């Protein structure tokens, strides 16, 4: 939770389903939530098919998320299609690429729809405008019945903010990928409970092996580590 599958040479990031599985095997990762690198609809008209095909080839290891632009007029219908027809397990939102504020009307409606469909919403949550934890907090407040995952748990400079937001809103979960401070993972477990912290790698941007080592350095207890390293995500996505 999470990795990206798509061929986008113009962005310098490419990862096929086979590349993803190889990276997982090398790191000892059993399962991964996967999504496109770009928003759909967008640069790649076959974006949904890329994820659906990967998950069909590796049904016990890969689980799809649909990455959408909330401003698109078909976003709610596409979310329904992804979850109800293609079997995807969640919604991915990237406020920076879509230029949509987390507290905006269209974004709120889409997150609420995800909650109605029984799936979580994973946000890119970092240091850029529109993506900071306090920005996403507006969505958490407006959508109390929807699970909201803060991917990267605030990035480099907003991790403490992410901890504050998760402490304030019980529907918020923190995801560890591409956040460079192992001690903040331990702090999150202590502050909000291990049940609301999940391991992520953000491949190919980051390495699953490196991200696993970061959690190991955090020196969580055995029970807490088991939840963070898979138990929570399996329960959240219904793939236990």
């Amino acid at each position: 939770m999470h990795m990206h599958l798509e061929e986008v040479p113009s962005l310098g990031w490419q990862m096929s389903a086979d590349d993803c599985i190889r990276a997982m095997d090398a790191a000892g990762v059993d399962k991964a939530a996967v999504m496109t690198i770009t928003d759909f609809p967008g640069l790649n008209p076959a974006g949904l098919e890329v994820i659906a095909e990967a998950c069909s080839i590796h049904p016990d290891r890969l689980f799809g998320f649909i990455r959408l632009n909330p401003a698109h007029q078909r976003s709610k219908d596409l979310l329904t299609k992804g979850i109800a027809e293609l079997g995807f397990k969640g919604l991915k939102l990237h406020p920076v690429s879509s230029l949509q504020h987390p507290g905006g009307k269209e974004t709120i409606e889409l997150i609420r729809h995800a909650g109605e469909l029984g799936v979580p919403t994973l946000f890119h949550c970092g240091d850029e405008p529109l993506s900071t934890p306090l920005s996403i907090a507006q969505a958490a407040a407006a959508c109390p019945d929807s699970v909201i995952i803060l991917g990267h748990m605030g990035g480099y400079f907003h991790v403490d903010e992410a901890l504050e937001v998760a402490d304030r809103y019980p529907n918020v979960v923190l995801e560890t990928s591409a956040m460079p401070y192992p001690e903040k993972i331990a702090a999150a477990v202590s502050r909000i409970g291990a049940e609301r912290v999940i391991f992520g790698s953000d491949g190919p941007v980051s390495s699953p092996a490196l991200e696993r080592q970061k959690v190991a350095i955090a020196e969580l207890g055995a029970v807490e580590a088991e939840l963070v390293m898979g138990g929570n995500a399996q329960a959240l996505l219904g793939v236990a």
Side-chain angles (χ1 to χ4, degrees):
M1 179 87 76
H2 62 283
M3 297 183 77
H4 298 280
L5 303 183
E6 202 172 3
E7 305 291 324
V8 190
S10 61
L11 295 179
W13 294 335
Q14 300 183 61
M15 178 172 271
S16 67
D18 289 342
D19 292 334
C20 182
I21 293 295
R22 280 193 290 269
M24 291 164 61
D25 287 344
V29 173
D30 298 320
K31 304 175 189 293
V34 294
M35 59 216 67
T36 51
I37 293 173
T38 58
D39 298 317
F40 184 84
L43 292 175
N44 185 358
L48 292 188
E49 287 73 17
V50 167
I51 301 303
E53 181 180 4
C55 294
S56 68
I57 294 172
H58 305 283
D60 296 325
R61 304 198 65 188
L62 301 182
F63 304 94
F65 271 48
I66 181 169
R67 177 168 170 168
L68 294 172
N69 183 340
H72 194 278
Q73 61 183 2
R74 293 183 56 223
S75 62
K76 289 183 71 173
D77 291 339
L78 289 168
L79 177 58
T80 300
K81 177 181 178 179
I83 305 306
E85 296 181 23
L86 300 178
F88 289 3
K89 300 294 186 180
L91 167 67
K92 169 65 184 292
L93 298 178
H94 200 305
V96 180
S97 62
S98 67
L99 297 177
Q100 297 301 305
H101 193 284
K105 178 177 179 290
E106 293 83 2
T107 300
I108 295 301
E109 289 180 352
L110 199 59
I111 295 170
R112 287 175 176 167
H113 190 47
E116 293 166 354
L117 293 169
V119 299
T121 297
L122 168 64
F123 269 97
H124 171 86
C125 175
D127 303 301
E128 310 96 324
L130 303 177
S131 75
T132 62
L134 288 180
S135 295
I136 300 171
Q138 296 181 39
C143 306
D145 296 324
S146 299
V147 175
I148 293 178
I149 304 168
L150 302 188
H152 321 307
M153 54 186 291
Y156 277 65
F157 304 113
H158 292 81
V159 183
D160 289 337
E161 240 179 52
L163 291 171
E164 292 174 9
V165 170
D167 197 20
R168 191 183 314 163
Y169 299 104
N171 58 324
V172 169
V173 174
L174 299 179
E175 187 252 25
T176 64
S177 70
M179 182 280 300
Y181 315 113
E183 67 273 14
K184 295 298 185 181
I185 298 174
V189 167
S190 175
R191 184 165 180 176
I192 65 171
E195 296 80 6
R196 290 168 57 205
V197 181
I198 53 177
F199 162 74
S201 64
D202 196 28
V205 184
S206 190
S207 159
L210 172 64
E211 295 293 337
R212 278 203 67 173
Q213 185 63 20
K214 188 173 66 182
V215 179
I217 293 172
E219 295 185 336
L220 305 180
V223 173
E224 289 81 2
E226 185 174 352
L227 290 172
V228 171
M229 293 302 299
N232 293 332
Q234 286 184 325
L236 186 62
L237 304 185
V239 298

